[in-house]
Amino acid sequence: MEARGRNAASGNSGGGGTLTLEEFRVELGKLHDAIVSVRNESYHIGDVMARIPGRFTKVEAAWNSPASTTIDDVKTWFTVVSGHQHDLLEEMVRRMQSVYDNFRAAEEANTRNVT
């Protein structure tokens, strides 16, 4: 069985190339590893980002200049963009997992059809 897609011999993306069933399984495993990695990094980024608002409190107490009047604007901006970043990372993991689940189900169905 061959799957259309990347040319395994050359490593090039694009149409026309094929993967054997075993190469497809290896690539599916790599996708799973990537999902785990992105999910773990997302958690780490979220943990680090959650600590930053506490730093604003320390900065605010020591910031004595006309620019310090913008600290509330900066805190609001940070809250919004860090929320967007969190949502983006979650969506990336969700989509990657969906692709993995779909290909895995197709692989299992094809294997049952062949055997």
Side-chain angles (χ1 to χ4, degrees):
M1 175 183 171
E2 292 183 327
R4 295 237 173 254
R6 192 175 72 79
N7 184 326
S10 69
N12 293 329
S13 296
T18 58
L19 294 174
T20 66
L21 180 58
E22 190 55 37
E23 289 167 334
F24 182 75
R25 285 185 179 136
V26 169
E27 297 298 322
L28 196 56
K30 288 179 183 179
L31 175 58
H32 182 266
D33 293 345
I35 293 166
V36 170
S37 178
V38 171
R39 183 178 288 128
N40 289 339
E41 290 303 318
S42 176
Y43 292 151
H44 175 71
I45 290 168
D47 288 343
V48 171
M49 296 296 278
R51 289 185 235 142
I52 292 175
R55 306 286 181 173
F56 283 129
T57 303
K58 292 177 182 178
V59 168
E60 191 173 12
W63 195 0
N64 297 314
S65 77
S68 67
T69 60
T70 64
I71 190 72
D72 288 332
D73 295 335
V74 172
K75 289 191 295 189
T76 299
W77 169 84
F78 180 80
T79 299
V80 170
V81 297
S82 62
H84 291 167
Q85 179 187 38
H86 173 77
D87 293 347
L88 175 63
L89 290 169
E90 280 191 345
E91 181 67 11
M92 288 170 57
V93 170
R94 188 193 66 74
R95 288 182 185 205
M96 291 171 73
Q97 187 67 56
S98 178
V99 168
Y100 175 83
D101 293 344
N102 289 339
F103 276 109
R104 177 99 182 165
E107 178 184 343
E108 289 171 0
N110 289 337
T111 300
R112 282 192 304 273
N113 291 337
V114 171
T115 56

